[in-house]
């Protein structure tokens, strides 16, 4: 049998491999500390202790309190709870919501749903680099605006939004307007302090930070009114019924702890890898990078378009060499779909279906990106010849 050459996984914004320490902890909880945290006996107490520890870790990272956290089944559920929960709980103060055109479907589709419930949603534009202007946000805030949702880091092009400035601008205009930040792509990669950044609701997810899939967390600031979207046994103070995913929650917290322990040096390393890659690949004809590539962009996300080559063709040609990337226009599931983000930043038509996303993590080495750059140098002229015939 042919032996498969080394795999180079560059799709870390889709999901990550768990840290071995996380797998070991989860395994122990699955096999030994498997109790239901609501049970009154020793096994329950053991599981409750794991939950408590996870809360302490995550609250410490976000500089919040343990009671500010609600565990969910994923980032998507946390976004749904933030938006639907806040809209329903605050509908008497107004029915206006604001978001941007480049949010993840977990926010955009939820906003569409809220429109069907009678809420009015303003979708703000972004500039050519995907940045939302704090002034535009402030101008859109009205007396009846109950919530603004802006992502921390864009999942397709890696734009990092000025969330602290946006938060300040919202509160200056209307102190009652809530500010939600989808930080699924930013948590674990940047210091995020909700209180200091005027953030009332913040979403994070386990599987983007070398934690497990199927677990997310919503930070809810003190005094924020939220109505549950899931009814049942009343766990988590009635805000999110359902037996807690103890191994997942503990795994996510440990992954976050490990990520933040070495955050600065990891970010410097990823930044150097991105800069070297961009420098080398920009020398190839017909390459365009989407969003920023400088130190203001996320160090782990690179979006590039290769004129004249369909993304799927390039993706599979790279895969043949053991290099895994994603198609920049596939949003979240594998439905064929033109990316709203690429449209919103004004990407020319000829590039829309030729965009791939390369996303790194602490588990990648500079050699991984060098191999990807070398593969692009070799493949693109070949694939173009093929396409033009
Ligand atoms: N928000 C953003 C910005 C994301 O990138 C993702 C996942 O790709 C989500 C939300 C959804 O997170 P989850 O996969 O945990 O539901």
């Amino acid at each position: 049998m042919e032996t498969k050459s080394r795999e180079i996984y560059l799709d870390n914004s889709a999901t990550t491999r768990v840290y071995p320490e996380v797998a070991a902890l989860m395994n122990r909880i699955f096999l030994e500390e498997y109790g239901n945290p609501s049970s009154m006996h020793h096994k329950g107490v053991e599981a409750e202790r794991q939950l408590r520890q996870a809360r302490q870790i995550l609250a410490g990272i976000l500089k919040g309190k343990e009671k500010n956290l609600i565990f969910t089944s994923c980032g998507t559920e946390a976004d749904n709870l933030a938006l639907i929960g806040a809209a329903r709980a605050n509908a008497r103060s107004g029915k206006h919501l604001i978001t941007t055109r480049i949010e993840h479907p977990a926010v955009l589709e939820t906003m569409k749903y809220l429109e069907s419930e009678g809420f009015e949603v303003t979708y703000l534009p972004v500039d050519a680099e995907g940045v939302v202007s704090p002034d535009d946000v402030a101008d859109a805030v009205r007396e009846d605006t109950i919530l603004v949702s802006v992502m921390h880091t864009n999942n397709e092009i890696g734009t990092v939004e000025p969330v602290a400035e946006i938060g300040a601008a919202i509160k200056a205009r209307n102190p009652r307007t809530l500010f939600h930040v989808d930080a699924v792509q930013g948590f674990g990669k940047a210091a995020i302090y909700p209180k200091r950044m005027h953030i009332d609701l913040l979403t994070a997810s386990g599987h983007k930070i070398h934690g497990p899939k199927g677990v997310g967390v919503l930070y809810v600031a003190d005094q924020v009114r939220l109505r549950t979207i899931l009814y049942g046994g009343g766990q988590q103070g009635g805000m999110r019924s359902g037996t807690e995913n103890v191994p997942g929650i503990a795994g996510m917290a440990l992954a976050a702890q490990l990520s933040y322990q070495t955050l600065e040096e990891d970010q410097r390393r990823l930044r150097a890898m991105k800069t070297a890659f961009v420098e080398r690949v920009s020398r190839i004809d017909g390459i365009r990078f989407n969003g920023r590539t400088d130190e203001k962009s996320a160090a782990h996300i690179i979006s590039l378009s290769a004129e004249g080559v369909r993304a799927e063709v390039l993706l599979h040609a790279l895969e043949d060499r053991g290099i895994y990337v994603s198609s920049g226009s596939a949003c979240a599931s594998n439905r064929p779909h033109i990316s709203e983000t690429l449209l919103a930043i004004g990407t020319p038509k000829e590039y829309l279906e030729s965009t791939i996303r390369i996303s790194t993590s602490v588990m990648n080495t500079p050699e991984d990106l060098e191999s990807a750059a070398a593969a692009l140098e070799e493949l693109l002229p070949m694939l173009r010849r093929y396409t033009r015939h």
Side-chain angles (χ1 to χ4, degrees), residues 74-76 79 104 151 155 182 184-185 205 207-208:
C74 55
T76 301
D79 282 341
H104 187 274
M151 70 203 320
N155 48 302
D182 175 343
V184 169
Q185 296 288 346
S205 175
H207 72 113
K208 313 286 187 180

Side-chain angles (χ1 to χ4, degrees), residues 28 121 186 220 252 269 284 310 326 329 347:
R28 197 183 81 215
V121 183
V220 185
M252 172 172 62
R269 208 167 63 80
I284 306 175
R310 287 184 66 85
S326 78
S329 58
T347 307

Side-chain angles (χ1 to χ4, degrees), residues 117-144:
E117 268 200 7
F119 290 90
E120 180 196 346
V121 183
T122 299
Y123 298 89
L124 292 174
V126 294
D127 70 13
E129 285 160 346
V131 181
V132 183
S133 142
D135 288 342
D136 285 356
V137 179
D139 288 347
V141 172
R142 315 188 307 215
E143 195 53 28
D144 64 340

Side-chain angles (χ1 to χ4, degrees), residues 102 126-132 154 157 159-161 291-292 341 344-345:
I102 64 162
V126 294
D127 70 13
E129 285 160 346
V131 181
V132 183
N154 181 271
I157 58 173
T159 303
V160 178
E161 300 298 344
R292 303 178 74 118
T341 300
I345 62 170

